[in-house]
Amino acid sequence: MEKKRKQHQSFRFAQQWCLLLLILSLISASQAHNYTDALSKSLLYFEAQRSGRLPHNQRVVWRDHSGLTDGLEQGVDLVGGYYDAGDHVKFGLPMAFTVTMLSWGVIEYRNEIGSAGELEHALEAIKWGTDYFIKAHTSPNVLWAEVGDGDTDHYCWQRPEDMTTSRQAYKVDESNPGSDLAGETAAAMAAASIVFRKTNPHYSHLLLHHAQQLFEFGDKYRGKYDEEEGSVGVVKRYYASVSGYMDELLWAALWLYKATDREEYLKYVITKAHCFGGIGWAISEFSWDVKYAGLQIIASKLLMEEKHKHKKYSHVLEKYRSKAEFYLCSCLRKSNGSDVDHTPGGLIYIRQWNNMQYVSTAAFLLTVYSDFLRNSNQKLSCHGGSVGHEELLRFAKSQVDYILGSNPMNMSYLVGFGPKYPTRVHHRGASIVSYRENKGFIGCTQGYDNWYGRPEPNPNIIIGALVGGPDCQDNFMDERGNYVQTEACTYNTAPLIGVFGKLLQLEENEDGQTQNLIASY
């Protein structure tokens, strides 16, 4: 009898030991990438993209003040904001989307970002954008949309500190409307007002005031900001509003509802759901231009909130939800004939130029919806069957891990992260000797002659930049002239801030479970 009892004990111990080893191996696999480091580095990138007078606590020291006369010709102060990519035009639409996504990430994962010690940097990144939007919104129906123009900018390869290109500013107003730009800027300011509500209530109130005015302006004077005649026609070759302005107006109204809890904004989202495409368009991308998927995800989440007014509109919110689920199922390749392409290495692939922007936004929406499903104890209904919240999060994580180096090239596409990453990023400031080191003026053609074509790595590492990424076969050429793959943009990195926060939380939870398991032996 004693012998049997000992055999049973040793068998049980062996089972537990195997279970422990399995859990440890799963955790070590999930910890292959340091998400804390990725989060810290991602936030550094926004400091590298700053325009204007840099603050004393600027951490990216190879940058210096630039664009200090922006708006001067037009008699308005437009100093500040962000350069969107590797050039020096300040484009309002992608800048606003960047700030919306940064804010949404903090709204969802504030505690997680805070526990990593990065909340202050995230708030600074948001405020650098919203401070500029406050300046650019000079009166209720005037919003400055762009500073500089892509054509003259692209003739030059210069550091931002040496800029000699045109800094002409362009605006939208009652005569030259821009509902898409006004809508996205309103969304950014409304989302940011939620972020700052407790820590800086006066600033939060100011942002909300601007957001409401901009939404009213965009809704009353409807039109696309990139029309050739008037508005900001010069933007058409760079950030054309292909989706129109209806998605931005719905998006702005929904963010204003979240910020104010005023039913008039929710009513707007409900009554215009059909005619503005909110419940008609099932789209497989979410980007600076196309907001429908993000709008549909947020509308879906309202269904979980126990508010009488939500129940009143639940039939329309359910339609929003069905479109949100189409987007998610197509990312997972479980929709009925409308699946998003994946590369052989498993990366979402939407289009050739700067594909990573669609990967980071998809990872964010998948992560947010995974939380929604978990909290409401529901599943996602796809053509290929129902999907649990774990599968959504696992797929989002696979996309992030691909970005961080788990891919056929063993290349991290987040610059500065891991042992191997792009070193010839298509970025003027990064590719030329730092102004702090060499203040000698470098002219337009001089930059092309002496720096653009150099085979050597860039002298400055633009840490945290998410480059355009590999092609449809997972191939990547690290060449400065290969801007389709090596240029990075602020709206590529912005959605990752929230996702890294979520993945950090998972890591911490797993660590705690492991410690408890080990302690029980």
Side-chain angles (χ1 to χ4, degrees):
M1 188 74 183
E2 182 63 22
K3 188 178 175 187
K4 275 190 175 178
R5 192 174 67 79
K6 284 186 176 174
Q7 280 180 332
H8 177 71
Q9 278 182 331
S10 61
F11 177 69
R12 187 168 169 274
F13 179 79
Q15 269 189 320
Q16 288 178 322
W17 183 246
C18 288
L19 179 64
L20 177 64
L21 288 175
L22 176 64
I23 290 169
L24 286 170
S25 69
L26 285 170
I27 288 167
S28 66
S30 77
Q31 288 180 331
H33 300 296
N34 183 339
Y35 300 122
T36 307
D37 188 42
L39 175 62
S40 301
K41 285 180 169 163
S42 296
L43 286 164
L44 269 175
Y45 171 58
F46 296 96
E47 295 192 22
Q49 293 301 108
R50 284 172 171 171
S51 181
R53 187 168 293 282
L54 303 184
H56 296 300
N57 64 351
Q58 170 81 10
R59 296 176 296 161
V60 178
V61 294
W62 53 267
R63 282 294 325 282
D64 210 333
H65 311 312
S66 63
L68 298 181
T69 59
D70 284 358
L72 192 65
E73 284 176 42
Q74 286 76 24
V76 57
D77 176 9
L78 295 175
V79 175
Y82 287 112
Y83 303 120
D84 72 302
D87 47 22
H88 304 138
V89 184
K90 294 193 303 207
F91 292 105
L93 189 57
M95 196 194 304
F97 181 68
T98 295
V99 171
T100 308
M101 292 311 295
L102 285 171
S103 299
W104 192 3
V106 171
I107 290 165
E108 298 284 346
Y109 303 108
R110 187 185 196 103
N111 292 339
E112 293 82 355
I113 294 166
S115 69
E118 292 295 334
L119 182 59
E120 204 53 46
H121 293 135
L123 298 184
E124 283 172 7
I126 294 166
K127 193 170 184 293
W128 194 267
T130 51
D131 283 351
Y132 175 76
F133 299 146
I134 290 168
K135 287 180 171 186
H137 185 213
T138 48
S139 66
N141 296 341
V142 175
L143 176 64
W144 292 87
E146 181 177 328
V147 181
D149 74 86
D151 293 349
T152 58
D153 183 89
H154 284 190
Y155 290 134
C156 280
W157 195 261
Q158 274 180 305
R159 302 175 295 196
E161 295 84 3
D162 291 329
M163 236 183 319
T164 53
T165 48
S166 163
R167 300 306 285 170
Q168 183 172 343
Y170 303 84
K171 66 181 176 181
V172 294
D173 55 25
E174 294 167 20
S175 310
N176 301 294
S179 304
D180 29 28
L181 178 69
E184 186 58 58
T185 311
M189 294 174 107
S193 78
I194 301 170
V195 170
F196 291 108
R197 187 181 287 156
K198 286 182 181 170
T199 55
N200 194 342
H202 172 74
Y203 188 66
S204 170
H205 183 75
L206 178 64
L207 291 175
L208 196 51
H209 176 68
H210 280 281
Q212 288 171 313
Q213 280 192 344
L214 280 166
F215 174 69
E216 284 171 31
F217 161 53
D219 190 39
K220 187 175 180 182
Y221 301 95
R222 291 184 190 168
K224 292 202 318 169
Y225 88 125
D226 62 348
E227 295 297 346
E228 294 289 357
E229 301 299 321
S231 294
V232 196
V234 293
V235 81
K236 204 156 187 96
R237 284 180 51 205
Y238 304 96
Y239 287 103
S241 183
V242 178
S243 72
Y245 57 77
M246 293 178 185
D247 53 337
E248 275 87 8
L249 288 178
L250 289 170
W251 179 239
L254 193 49
W255 276 111
L256 278 163
Y257 173 63
K258 283 176 70 70
T260 63
D261 204 33
R262 282 166 55 177
E263 192 172 0
E264 66 188 87
Y265 293 119
L266 178 59
K267 251 184 168 165
Y268 188 98
V269 175
I270 297 298
T271 56
K272 292 189 163 35
H274 180 71
C275 58
F276 274 19
I279 56 175
W281 284 101
I283 284 180
S284 53
E285 74 170 71
F286 176 49
S287 67
W288 58 264
D289 180 33
V290 189
K291 311 296 153 50
Y292 286 114
L295 164 77
Q296 291 153 358
I297 294 280
I298 296 177
S300 304
K301 289 181 73 181
L302 297 181
L303 285 164
M304 200 177 82
E305 295 176 14
E306 293 295 322
K307 287 187 181 175
H308 174 69
K309 53 192 165 191
H310 293 174
K311 288 179 179 171
K312 190 167 55 173
Y313 301 126
S314 61
H315 63 295
V316 180
L317 293 174
E318 284 289 358
K319 289 180 180 177
Y320 272 111
R321 178 176 177 163
S322 75
K323 299 302 178 187
E325 297 205 333
F326 172 89
Y327 169 84
L328 298 162
C329 294
S330 66
C331 286
L332 293 166
R333 297 188 56 75
K334 291 190 174 185
S335 69
N336 189 9
S338 302
D339 291 340
V340 167
D341 286 336
H342 289 181
T343 68
L347 185 73
I348 285 173
Y349 193 82
I350 302 290
R351 55 180 62 92
Q352 183 185 14
W353 195 321
N354 189 19
N355 182 61
M356 279 301 187
Q357 64 176 306
Y358 310 109
V359 179
S360 63
T361 52
F364 182 81
L365 293 188
L366 285 154
T367 301
V368 166
Y369 208 78
S370 167
D371 282 347
F372 165 64
L373 292 178
R374 191 191 72 238
N375 295 337
S376 57
N377 197 26
Q378 295 180 62
K379 292 201 167 187
L380 170 66
S381 300
C382 292
H383 181 69
S386 64
V387 177
H389 68 89
E390 307 94 338
E391 188 175 338
L392 250 66
L393 190 56
R394 199 159 50 240
F395 181 68
K397 183 179 177 300
S398 76
Q399 298 303 295
V400 172
D401 287 348
Y402 185 110
I403 287 169
L404 297 180
S406 299
N407 57 60
M409 298 287 290
N410 293 315
M411 166 82 78
S412 164
Y413 294 106
L414 191 75
V415 177
F417 181 89
K420 182 184 176 188
Y421 51 81
T423 59
R424 297 167 186 83
V425 180
H426 182 91
H427 188 280
R428 288 158 174 72
S431 68
I432 302 173
V433 63
S434 165
Y435 183 80
R436 297 269 179 110
E437 284 181 36
N438 180 356
K439 289 185 168 54
F441 176 76
I442 295 171
C444 262
T445 53
Q446 206 180 340
Y448 272 118
D449 293 345
N450 300 341
W451 295 96
Y452 182 76
R454 288 169 79 244
E456 291 87 2
N458 290 347
N460 310 303
I461 301 171
I462 186 152
I463 292 170
L466 176 57
V467 297
D471 65 14
C472 59
Q473 292 298 312
D474 299 297
N475 298 313
F476 179 80
M477 282 170 43
D478 184 13
E479 293 175 2
R480 205 168 291 113
N482 180 21
Y483 47 82
V484 168
Q485 292 188 327
T486 63
E487 191 164 22
C489 301
T490 55
Y491 46 87
N492 294 15
T493 298
L496 291 179
I497 302 304
V499 184
F500 289 143
K502 175 65 179 181
L503 295 176
L504 274 169
Q505 178 203 32
L506 277 184
E507 250 179 22
E508 286 166 12
N509 290 348
E510 286 169 346
D511 281 350
Q513 287 169 7
T514 311
Q515 294 305 321
N516 292 339
L517 198 59
I518 291 167
S520 68
Y521 282 90

